[in-house]
Amino acid sequence: MKNLNKKQVTMQEQSAEERKHNFNEVPLGYSKEEAILEASRCLQCSTHPCIDGCPVHINIPDFIKAIKEDNVQLAIDIIHKSDSLPAVTGRVCPQEDQCQAVCIMGKVGDPIAIGRLERYAADWDLQNREGGKIKLPTKEKSNGKNIAIVGSGPSGLACAGDLIKNGYNVTVFEGFHKTGGVLAYGIPEFRLPKSIVQEEINMLNKFGVKFATDALIGKTLTIQELMRDEFDAVFIGAGAGLPRFMHIPGENLAGVYSANEFLTRVNLMKAYKFPQYDTPIKIAKKVAVIGGGNVAMDSARTALRLGAEHVFLIYRRSRKEMPARNEEILHAEEEGIDFNLLTNPVRYVGDEKGFVKTIECIKMRLGEKDASGRRRPIPIDGSEFTLDIDQVIVAIGTTPNPIIPRTTAGLKTGHHGVILADENGATSVKGVFAGGDIVTGAATVITAMGAGRKAADSIDKYLKGKI
Ligand code: FAD
Ligand code: SF4
């Protein structure tokens, strides 16, 4: 392996000082020259471990080769065979734990920047599509069968995309007034511009997928009513949107938010434009964000952009155990988020009007590994300390919303209320399939999309009497 270019081509991004005052996207993407240079580093190895490292098995070496040869149309065609939302996954997938973790180049230097190259091809596609140069994919003649999809997040969109291509009539029911699931209400604009998500949804719409918003299944209509009245099969991709709390004293004080509520107010309801938009939000000076995952990083960086003077990130394990993507942790550090690691909140204390004003924390040490494979955090007696704050955002995880299981007779659920589905995505109710976070618990965009595609295939086989 002589004369290898061991360093990844850097992607330009907004400086930390500039970006903490705006919601614009942070990384700016590769230019054509940068993409070709990075693609040229790929060894095109015969074992291509990167393909197995990708949860949807994109033919990575082939699309990289197409970029190297400046045939971006071919690159995007290859990607689209496995991934219907590459502009999203190229930006938010945890590539360092997936395809890039096993890239052979990673043994001698930096792995190939697979996600950045995927984003390059996908952005090229979006730009050319806008110019009307891209034709819609071909779809089979309608077979007259109707499929209902519950939830417009990545699992529902991926399922809808495959079924419409196969000739089904597809209607997506979404509880919110806006489609996109976590891509719209959770992940902030500075990481995933909403126009990208909207463009992908517009594409599905042009292709014939119908979207019914403000339709909360289990309340507006039940799964049984959908099956009885119009639909031959149902896919449930309703996500895991129910926030968890720590159940410590003071969690009911004003100013203590779940990350879901906080991010939804800001992303979906434009609370930062109050009173121009109806939804209010407290613009706090000192904010404590509890957690160490992507949701915690997004909340901390959003609070900073809203105008907070100081944002404490409080996480009970060490930096090594943080589940957030490396890039998000680095970006948060660069922007000045104050990481309080090996620290856990014990209680919140309020002022006389019931607004949170301090947080009491305790220092932790790491013990033996627990069921998650990570070392268990143990409180250190006598290490308690307090911080003055005027807002708390709790980002310690979510579980599935129970509305659908509670209103669907015979639908079996498991630990934390996840819907039980077999390897085909089939649930305990005939004709009802499920996938994404509502089955796995909170996971990733690409695993949710993979589950949606698997269920689309199973629905096709089920309606053709093959399973
Ligand atoms: P969701 O995206 O949750 O979509 C479910 C949809 O169903 C929602 O729109 C919801 O309103 C709707 N719904 C729920 N109940 C009903 C009902 N009864 N009737 C009708 N509609 C209903 N993953 C990554 O890979 N990388 C990241 O960087 C990343 N960052 C994240 C940041 C945040 C803030 C959050 C919250 C998650 C993040 N994730 C990330 C996780 C990822 O977004 C999820 O795993 C993924 O979106 C799950 O997709 P889904 O389709 O299962 O559900
Ligand atoms: Fe290229 Fe890395 Fe895949 Fe090998 S493992 S083909 S170097 S991306």
Side-chain angles (χ1 to χ4, degrees), residues 85-116:
L85 301 173
V88 174
T89 52
R91 285 171 165 83
V92 305
C93 263
Q95 288 101 3
E96 69 266 19
D97 300 324
Q98 299 176 343
C99 51
Q100 291 179 195
V102 290
C103 170
I104 301 286
M105 271 298 283
K107 294 190 198 301
V108 291
D110 294 340
I112 306 300
I114 300 169
R116 291 175 180 177

PDB file of all heavy atoms in Angstrom, residues 85-116:
ATOM      1  N   LEU A  85     -33.549   7.771   0.380  1.00  0.00           N
ATOM      2  CA  LEU A  85     -33.354   9.128   0.921  1.00  0.00           C
ATOM      3  C   LEU A  85     -31.861   9.433   1.128  1.00  0.00           C
ATOM      4  O   LEU A  85     -31.442   9.762   2.247  1.00  0.00           O
ATOM      5  CB  LEU A  85     -34.091   9.278   2.256  1.00  0.00           C
ATOM      6  CG  LEU A  85     -35.604   9.051   2.302  1.00  0.00           C
ATOM      7  CD1 LEU A  85     -36.104   9.090   3.742  1.00  0.00           C
ATOM      8  CD2 LEU A  85     -36.327  10.100   1.473  1.00  0.00           C
ATOM      9  N   PRO A  86     -31.045   9.345   0.073  1.00  0.00           N
ATOM     10  CA  PRO A  86     -29.597   9.494   0.298  1.00  0.00           C
ATOM     11  C   PRO A  86     -29.157  10.886   0.756  1.00  0.00           C
ATOM     12  O   PRO A  86     -28.146  11.002   1.451  1.00  0.00           O
ATOM     13  CB  PRO A  86     -28.972   9.132  -1.055  1.00  0.00           C
ATOM     14  CG  PRO A  86     -30.066   9.336  -2.039  1.00  0.00           C
ATOM     15  CD  PRO A  86     -31.343   9.054  -1.333  1.00  0.00           C
ATOM     16  N   ALA A  87     -29.920  11.928   0.403  1.00  0.00           N
ATOM     17  CA  ALA A  87     -29.523  13.268   0.863  1.00  0.00           C
ATOM     18  C   ALA A  87     -29.688  13.363   2.378  1.00  0.00           C
ATOM     19  O   ALA A  87     -29.010  14.142   3.043  1.00  0.00           O
ATOM     20  CB  ALA A  87     -30.365  14.340   0.171  1.00  0.00           C
ATOM     21  N   VAL A  88     -30.595  12.533   2.917  1.00  0.00           N
ATOM     22  CA  VAL A  88     -30.792  12.486   4.368  1.00  0.00           C
ATOM     23  C   VAL A  88     -29.725  11.593   5.000  1.00  0.00           C
ATOM     24  O   VAL A  88     -28.988  12.011   5.904  1.00  0.00           O
ATOM     25  CB  VAL A  88     -32.218  11.954   4.707  1.00  0.00           C
ATOM     26  CG1 VAL A  88     -32.373  11.774   6.208  1.00  0.00           C
ATOM     27  CG2 VAL A  88     -33.286  12.882   4.153  1.00  0.00           C
ATOM     28  N   THR A  89     -29.606  10.359   4.511  1.00  0.00           N
ATOM     29  CA  THR A  89     -28.673   9.416   5.152  1.00  0.00           C
ATOM     30  C   THR A  89     -27.222   9.875   4.989  1.00  0.00           C
ATOM     31  O   THR A  89     -26.403   9.679   5.891  1.00  0.00           O
ATOM     32  CB  THR A  89     -28.855   7.997   4.592  1.00  0.00           C
ATOM     33  OG1 THR A  89     -28.795   8.054   3.166  1.00  0.00           O
ATOM     34  CG2 THR A  89     -30.174   7.405   5.015  1.00  0.00           C
ATOM     35  N   GLY A  90     -26.896  10.494   3.857  1.00  0.00           N
ATOM     36  CA  GLY A  90     -25.529  11.012   3.661  1.00  0.00           C
ATOM     37  C   GLY A  90     -25.179  12.037   4.730  1.00  0.00           C
ATOM     38  O   GLY A  90     -24.018  12.222   5.074  1.00  0.00           O
ATOM     39  N   ARG A  91     -26.196  12.702   5.268  1.00  0.00           N
ATOM     40  CA  ARG A  91     -25.966  13.724   6.299  1.00  0.00           C
ATOM     41  C   ARG A  91     -26.031  13.169   7.719  1.00  0.00           C
ATOM     42  O   ARG A  91     -25.300  13.616   8.576  1.00  0.00           O
ATOM     43  CB  ARG A  91     -27.013  14.844   6.160  1.00  0.00           C
ATOM     44  CG  ARG A  91     -26.748  15.769   5.004  1.00  0.00           C
ATOM     45  CD  ARG A  91     -27.932  16.701   4.800  1.00  0.00           C
ATOM     46  NE  ARG A  91     -27.566  17.808   3.942  1.00  0.00           N
ATOM     47  CZ  ARG A  91     -27.554  17.767   2.615  1.00  0.00           C
ATOM     48  NH1 ARG A  91     -27.865  16.648   1.981  1.00  0.00           N
ATOM     49  NH2 ARG A  91     -27.195  18.827   1.906  1.00  0.00           N
ATOM     50  N   VAL A  92     -26.964  12.244   7.991  1.00  0.00           N
ATOM     51  CA  VAL A  92     -27.196  11.908   9.410  1.00  0.00           C
ATOM     52  C   VAL A  92     -26.833  10.477   9.821  1.00  0.00           C
ATOM     53  O   VAL A  92     -26.876  10.157  11.009  1.00  0.00           O
ATOM     54  CB  VAL A  92     -28.657  12.215   9.851  1.00  0.00           C
ATOM     55  CG1 VAL A  92     -29.033  13.645   9.564  1.00  0.00           C
ATOM     56  CG2 VAL A  92     -29.655  11.253   9.227  1.00  0.00           C
ATOM     57  N   CYS A  93     -26.475   9.602   8.873  1.00  0.00           N
ATOM     58  CA  CYS A  93     -26.129   8.229   9.283  1.00  0.00           C
ATOM     59  C   CYS A  93     -24.880   8.236  10.150  1.00  0.00           C
ATOM     60  O   CYS A  93     -23.955   9.011   9.895  1.00  0.00           O
ATOM     61  CB  CYS A  93     -25.832   7.374   8.053  1.00  0.00           C
ATOM     62  SG  CYS A  93     -27.226   6.404   7.536  1.00  0.00           S
ATOM     63  N   PRO A  94     -24.815   7.351  11.148  1.00  0.00           N
ATOM     64  CA  PRO A  94     -23.568   7.234  11.931  1.00  0.00           C
ATOM     65  C   PRO A  94     -22.541   6.404  11.162  1.00  0.00           C
ATOM     66  O   PRO A  94     -22.231   5.277  11.535  1.00  0.00           O
ATOM     67  CB  PRO A  94     -24.039   6.534  13.214  1.00  0.00           C
ATOM     68  CG  PRO A  94     -25.287   5.810  12.831  1.00  0.00           C
ATOM     69  CD  PRO A  94     -25.885   6.484  11.642  1.00  0.00           C
ATOM     70  N   GLN A  95     -22.031   6.967  10.062  1.00  0.00           N
ATOM     71  CA  GLN A  95     -21.138   6.194   9.178  1.00  0.00           C
ATOM     72  C   GLN A  95     -19.917   5.653   9.914  1.00  0.00           C
ATOM     73  O   GLN A  95     -19.411   4.578   9.588  1.00  0.00           O
ATOM     74  CB  GLN A  95     -20.662   7.051   7.993  1.00  0.00           C
ATOM     75  CG  GLN A  95     -21.713   7.331   6.955  1.00  0.00           C
ATOM     76  CD  GLN A  95     -22.289   8.727   7.118  1.00  0.00           C
ATOM     77  OE1 GLN A  95     -21.865   9.501   7.976  1.00  0.00           O
ATOM     78  NE2 GLN A  95     -23.274   9.051   6.300  1.00  0.00           N
ATOM     79  N   GLU A  96     -19.438   6.400  10.918  1.00  0.00           N
ATOM     80  CA  GLU A  96     -18.224   5.946  11.610  1.00  0.00           C
ATOM     81  C   GLU A  96     -18.428   4.618  12.327  1.00  0.00           C
ATOM     82  O   GLU A  96     -17.467   3.931  12.644  1.00  0.00           O
ATOM     83  CB  GLU A  96     -17.700   7.020  12.573  1.00  0.00           C
ATOM     84  CG  GLU A  96     -18.564   7.292  13.786  1.00  0.00           C
ATOM     85  CD  GLU A  96     -19.550   8.441  13.602  1.00  0.00           C
ATOM     86  OE1 GLU A  96     -19.840   8.813  12.447  1.00  0.00           O
ATOM     87  OE2 GLU A  96     -20.051   8.954  14.617  1.00  0.00           O
ATOM     88  N   ASP A  97     -19.714   4.252  12.583  1.00  0.00           N
ATOM     89  CA  ASP A  97     -19.989   2.948  13.216  1.00  0.00           C
ATOM     90  C   ASP A  97     -20.464   1.934  12.187  1.00  0.00           C
ATOM     91  O   ASP A  97     -20.735   0.792  12.524  1.00  0.00           O
ATOM     92  CB  ASP A  97     -21.104   3.078  14.276  1.00  0.00           C
ATOM     93  CG  ASP A  97     -20.729   4.048  15.366  1.00  0.00           C
ATOM     94  OD1 ASP A  97     -19.540   4.090  15.720  1.00  0.00           O
ATOM     95  OD2 ASP A  97     -21.614   4.788  15.845  1.00  0.00           O
ATOM     96  N   GLN A  98     -20.657   2.358  10.951  1.00  0.00           N
ATOM     97  CA  GLN A  98     -21.223   1.453   9.943  1.00  0.00           C
ATOM     98  C   GLN A  98     -20.215   1.247   8.810  1.00  0.00           C
ATOM     99  O   GLN A  98     -19.152   0.672   9.020  1.00  0.00           O
ATOM    100  CB  GLN A  98     -22.553   2.012   9.444  1.00  0.00           C
ATOM    101  CG  GLN A  98     -23.582   2.135  10.571  1.00  0.00           C
ATOM    102  CD  GLN A  98     -24.884   2.767  10.138  1.00  0.00           C
ATOM    103  OE1 GLN A  98     -24.991   3.410   9.095  1.00  0.00           O
ATOM    104  NE2 GLN A  98     -25.908   2.612  10.944  1.00  0.00           N
ATOM    105  N   CYS A  99     -20.523   1.762   7.603  1.00  0.00           N
ATOM    106  CA  CYS A  99     -19.674   1.494   6.429  1.00  0.00           C
ATOM    107  C   CYS A  99     -18.232   1.965   6.630  1.00  0.00           C
ATOM    108  O   CYS A  99     -17.276   1.254   6.280  1.00  0.00           O
ATOM    109  CB  CYS A  99     -20.283   2.143   5.194  1.00  0.00           C
ATOM    110  SG  CYS A  99     -20.697   3.891   5.409  1.00  0.00           S
ATOM    111  N   GLN A 100     -18.049   3.152   7.207  1.00  0.00           N
ATOM    112  CA  GLN A 100     -16.690   3.693   7.343  1.00  0.00           C
ATOM    113  C   GLN A 100     -15.881   2.968   8.430  1.00  0.00           C
ATOM    114  O   GLN A 100     -14.661   2.948   8.376  1.00  0.00           O
ATOM    115  CB  GLN A 100     -16.745   5.196   7.638  1.00  0.00           C
ATOM    116  CG  GLN A 100     -17.245   5.979   6.425  1.00  0.00           C
ATOM    117  CD  GLN A 100     -17.348   7.479   6.633  1.00  0.00           C
ATOM    118  OE1 GLN A 100     -17.988   8.129   5.836  1.00  0.00           O
ATOM    119  NE2 GLN A 100     -16.758   8.028   7.662  1.00  0.00           N
ATOM    120  N   ALA A 101     -16.607   2.319   9.373  1.00  0.00           N
ATOM    121  CA  ALA A 101     -15.904   1.611  10.456  1.00  0.00           C
ATOM    122  C   ALA A 101     -15.106   0.438   9.902  1.00  0.00           C
ATOM    123  O   ALA A 101     -14.087   0.060  10.474  1.00  0.00           O
ATOM    124  CB  ALA A 101     -16.903   1.114  11.494  1.00  0.00           C
ATOM    125  N   VAL A 102     -15.568  -0.140   8.799  1.00  0.00           N
ATOM    126  CA  VAL A 102     -14.906  -1.343   8.273  1.00  0.00           C
ATOM    127  C   VAL A 102     -14.116  -1.064   6.993  1.00  0.00           C
ATOM    128  O   VAL A 102     -13.537  -1.983   6.399  1.00  0.00           O
ATOM    129  CB  VAL A 102     -15.934  -2.474   8.020  1.00  0.00           C
ATOM    130  CG1 VAL A 102     -16.469  -3.014   9.341  1.00  0.00           C
ATOM    131  CG2 VAL A 102     -17.095  -1.998   7.150  1.00  0.00           C
ATOM    132  N   CYS A 103     -14.090   0.192   6.555  1.00  0.00           N
ATOM    133  CA  CYS A 103     -13.369   0.533   5.318  1.00  0.00           C
ATOM    134  C   CYS A 103     -11.882   0.191   5.483  1.00  0.00           C
ATOM    135  O   CYS A 103     -11.250   0.580   6.474  1.00  0.00           O
ATOM    136  CB  CYS A 103     -13.561   2.023   5.016  1.00  0.00           C
ATOM    137  SG  CYS A 103     -12.512   2.629   3.691  1.00  0.00           S
ATOM    138  N   ILE A 104     -11.331  -0.518   4.487  1.00  0.00           N
ATOM    139  CA  ILE A 104      -9.936  -0.977   4.550  1.00  0.00           C
ATOM    140  C   ILE A 104      -8.977   0.208   4.697  1.00  0.00           C
ATOM    141  O   ILE A 104      -7.957   0.118   5.379  1.00  0.00           O
ATOM    142  CB  ILE A 104      -9.578  -1.768   3.262  1.00  0.00           C
ATOM    143  CG1 ILE A 104     -10.506  -2.958   3.095  1.00  0.00           C
ATOM    144  CG2 ILE A 104      -8.108  -2.165   3.218  1.00  0.00           C
ATOM    145  CD1 ILE A 104     -10.262  -4.120   4.012  1.00  0.00           C
ATOM    146  N   MET A 105      -9.307   1.321   4.064  1.00  0.00           N
ATOM    147  CA  MET A 105      -8.427   2.492   4.148  1.00  0.00           C
ATOM    148  C   MET A 105      -8.276   2.977   5.597  1.00  0.00           C
ATOM    149  O   MET A 105      -7.281   3.590   5.950  1.00  0.00           O
ATOM    150  CB  MET A 105      -8.994   3.641   3.300  1.00  0.00           C
ATOM    151  CG  MET A 105      -8.534   3.644   1.869  1.00  0.00           C
ATOM    152  SD  MET A 105      -6.752   3.829   1.699  1.00  0.00           S
ATOM    153  CE  MET A 105      -6.564   5.564   2.014  1.00  0.00           C
ATOM    154  N   GLY A 106      -9.281   2.639   6.430  1.00  0.00           N
ATOM    155  CA  GLY A 106      -9.243   3.037   7.831  1.00  0.00           C
ATOM    156  C   GLY A 106      -8.110   2.363   8.594  1.00  0.00           C
ATOM    157  O   GLY A 106      -7.716   2.830   9.660  1.00  0.00           O
ATOM    158  N   LYS A 107      -7.578   1.269   8.052  1.00  0.00           N
ATOM    159  CA  LYS A 107      -6.473   0.574   8.737  1.00  0.00           C
ATOM    160  C   LYS A 107      -5.143   1.315   8.564  1.00  0.00           C
ATOM    161  O   LYS A 107      -4.224   1.142   9.351  1.00  0.00           O
ATOM    162  CB  LYS A 107      -6.317  -0.849   8.183  1.00  0.00           C
ATOM    163  CG  LYS A 107      -7.487  -1.764   8.480  1.00  0.00           C
ATOM    164  CD  LYS A 107      -7.114  -3.185   8.094  1.00  0.00           C
ATOM    165  CE  LYS A 107      -8.273  -4.101   7.943  1.00  0.00           C
ATOM    166  NZ  LYS A 107      -9.157  -4.360   8.991  1.00  0.00           N
ATOM    167  N   VAL A 108      -5.035   2.097   7.488  1.00  0.00           N
ATOM    168  CA  VAL A 108      -3.765   2.787   7.233  1.00  0.00           C
ATOM    169  C   VAL A 108      -3.874   4.314   7.338  1.00  0.00           C
ATOM    170  O   VAL A 108      -2.863   5.011   7.340  1.00  0.00           O
ATOM    171  CB  VAL A 108      -3.200   2.415   5.833  1.00  0.00           C
ATOM    172  CG1 VAL A 108      -2.735   0.981   5.794  1.00  0.00           C
ATOM    173  CG2 VAL A 108      -4.233   2.691   4.746  1.00  0.00           C
ATOM    174  N   GLY A 109      -5.076   4.796   7.399  1.00  0.00           N
ATOM    175  CA  GLY A 109      -5.279   6.250   7.476  1.00  0.00           C
ATOM    176  C   GLY A 109      -6.751   6.526   7.736  1.00  0.00           C
ATOM    177  O   GLY A 109      -7.399   5.759   8.445  1.00  0.00           O
ATOM    178  N   ASP A 110      -7.270   7.607   7.155  1.00  0.00           N
ATOM    179  CA  ASP A 110      -8.708   7.891   7.321  1.00  0.00           C
ATOM    180  C   ASP A 110      -9.512   6.974   6.406  1.00  0.00           C
ATOM    181  O   ASP A 110      -9.131   6.768   5.245  1.00  0.00           O
ATOM    182  CB  ASP A 110      -9.018   9.334   6.885  1.00  0.00           C
ATOM    183  CG  ASP A 110      -8.369  10.361   7.795  1.00  0.00           C
ATOM    184  OD1 ASP A 110      -8.017  10.003   8.935  1.00  0.00           O
ATOM    185  OD2 ASP A 110      -8.220  11.521   7.346  1.00  0.00           O
ATOM    186  N   PRO A 111     -10.655   6.451   6.898  1.00  0.00           N
ATOM    187  CA  PRO A 111     -11.527   5.706   5.973  1.00  0.00           C
ATOM    188  C   PRO A 111     -12.039   6.650   4.889  1.00  0.00           C
ATOM    189  O   PRO A 111     -12.008   7.875   5.056  1.00  0.00           O
ATOM    190  CB  PRO A 111     -12.671   5.240   6.878  1.00  0.00           C
ATOM    191  CG  PRO A 111     -12.660   6.160   8.048  1.00  0.00           C
ATOM    192  CD  PRO A 111     -11.243   6.616   8.233  1.00  0.00           C
ATOM    193  N   ILE A 112     -12.516   6.069   3.784  1.00  0.00           N
ATOM    194  CA  ILE A 112     -13.112   6.916   2.742  1.00  0.00           C
ATOM    195  C   ILE A 112     -14.333   7.631   3.342  1.00  0.00           C
ATOM    196  O   ILE A 112     -15.100   7.030   4.098  1.00  0.00           O
ATOM    197  CB  ILE A 112     -13.573   6.058   1.527  1.00  0.00           C
ATOM    198  CG1 ILE A 112     -12.416   5.187   0.993  1.00  0.00           C
ATOM    199  CG2 ILE A 112     -14.155   6.937   0.416  1.00  0.00           C
ATOM    200  CD1 ILE A 112     -11.219   5.947   0.514  1.00  0.00           C
ATOM    201  N   ALA A 113     -14.527   8.895   2.981  1.00  0.00           N
ATOM    202  CA  ALA A 113     -15.676   9.675   3.501  1.00  0.00           C
ATOM    203  C   ALA A 113     -16.931   9.278   2.725  1.00  0.00           C
ATOM    204  O   ALA A 113     -17.447  10.043   1.892  1.00  0.00           O
ATOM    205  CB  ALA A 113     -15.388  11.164   3.375  1.00  0.00           C
ATOM    206  N   ILE A 114     -17.431   8.075   3.009  1.00  0.00           N
ATOM    207  CA  ILE A 114     -18.529   7.503   2.217  1.00  0.00           C
ATOM    208  C   ILE A 114     -19.797   8.363   2.330  1.00  0.00           C
ATOM    209  O   ILE A 114     -20.471   8.642   1.334  1.00  0.00           O
ATOM    210  CB  ILE A 114     -18.801   6.042   2.668  1.00  0.00           C
ATOM    211  CG1 ILE A 114     -17.537   5.190   2.451  1.00  0.00           C
ATOM    212  CG2 ILE A 114     -19.985   5.445   1.900  1.00  0.00           C
ATOM    213  CD1 ILE A 114     -17.576   3.809   3.087  1.00  0.00           C
ATOM    214  N   GLY A 115     -20.107   8.800   3.554  1.00  0.00           N
ATOM    215  CA  GLY A 115     -21.311   9.612   3.755  1.00  0.00           C
ATOM    216  C   GLY A 115     -21.245  10.927   2.985  1.00  0.00           C
ATOM    217  O   GLY A 115     -22.225  11.350   2.373  1.00  0.00           O
ATOM    218  N   ARG A 116     -20.090  11.548   2.998  1.00  0.00           N
ATOM    219  CA  ARG A 116     -19.958  12.835   2.294  1.00  0.00           C
ATOM    220  C   ARG A 116     -20.115  12.652   0.784  1.00  0.00           C
ATOM    221  O   ARG A 116     -20.682  13.501   0.096  1.00  0.00           O
ATOM    222  CB  ARG A 116     -18.585  13.446   2.586  1.00  0.00           C
ATOM    223  CG  ARG A 116     -18.457  13.897   4.023  1.00  0.00           C
ATOM    224  CD  ARG A 116     -17.064  14.373   4.306  1.00  0.00           C
ATOM    225  NE  ARG A 116     -16.941  14.817   5.686  1.00  0.00           N
ATOM    226  CZ  ARG A 116     -15.811  15.235   6.236  1.00  0.00           C
ATOM    227  NH1 ARG A 116     -14.692  15.254   5.517  1.00  0.00           N
ATOM    228  NH2 ARG A 116     -15.775  15.633   7.479  1.00  0.00           N
TER     229      ARG A 116
END
